[in-house]
Amino acid sequence: MFIRDESFQTFIRRYPIVTFLTAVHIVVFLLINFTPFRTSLYHLMVGSNYYIAAGDYWRLLTPIITHEAAGHLIFNSFSLILFGPALEQILGKARFIIGYVGAGLIANIATLLMLPLSYAHIGASGSIFGLFGIYVYMLYNHRQYIDRANTQILLVVLGISLVSTFLNERINVLGHLFGLIGGAALAPIILASLHRKKNRY
């Protein structure tokens, strides 16, 4: 489930949404680091609470695909590649997008409402934690999707990620926590829709 043994071509064919999101991460990273308009683009993408409150509502979404540091990009993209494919396969493309983007949006709204206007942030971490939230909901309500071995992997990685959240002062703690909560909150809606579709056939 979480062990990737496909070829590159097979991965792209099986998981087009995860592939597309990862590619967008890389392209945006390159644009804001290695192009002449990198500064202006970065300032357009960053999740600035001040500018969101002033009406730049697209900034609730653009941080989800924006990474400035290579380590940040690699960690989030690796997490997406590791934990995204199984959910894309279980949920289908549209539901996966709703869960991933929706959790990131919830995390960024919480950041806007609960942190100062001077606060600014980037990164897909809220959406990544949203995937964890969906998995956690499955563990308690749809165990048929996750076996014992993969449950252990998931809980260990989630535990490490949560501990790391509180150890680095540069991390948007609320973004991580509300991404997790957002994913868990969206999961029953997404899975109910999935099961209704299956029951029609």
Side-chain angles (χ1 to χ4, degrees), residues 11-12 15 21 25 33 38 43 50 57-58 71 92 101 103 110-111 118 121 127 149 156 165 167 169 180 185-186 194:
F11 185 94
I12 293 173
Y15 317 114
L21 289 170
H25 288 181
N33 279 281
R38 57 185 179 272
H43 284 298
Y50 176 83
Y57 299 119
W58 71 81
V101 176
T111 298
S118 59
H121 59 98
S127 290
V156 168
T165 293
L167 295 180
E169 62 182 15
L180 182 67
L186 291 170
L194 176 65

Side-chain angles (χ1 to χ4, degrees), residues 51-116:
Y51 286 112
I52 295 171
D56 290 358
Y57 299 119
W58 71 81
R59 297 177 187 271
L60 291 170
L61 292 173
T62 52
I64 296 172
I65 58 170
T66 306
H67 303 85
E68 186 180 24
H72 196 198
L73 168 73
I74 292 168
F75 181 83
N76 281 343
S77 297
F78 177 76
S79 298
L80 176 59
I81 290 169
L82 184 61
F83 293 103
L87 273 185
E88 181 175 344
Q89 203 163 55
I90 292 168
L91 301 177
K93 298 179 182 66
R95 292 177 186 83
F96 178 82
I97 292 170
I98 290 169
Y100 185 81
V101 176
L105 181 60
I106 290 169
N108 292 341
I109 290 173
T111 298
L112 171 66
L113 296 177
M114 301 176 72
L115 290 175

Side-chain angles (χ1 to χ4, degrees), residues 38-53:
R38 57 185 179 272
T39 301
S40 58
L41 180 60
Y42 175 82
H43 284 298
L44 280 174
M45 304 286 281
V46 69
S48 164
N49 281 352
Y50 176 83
Y51 286 112
I52 295 171

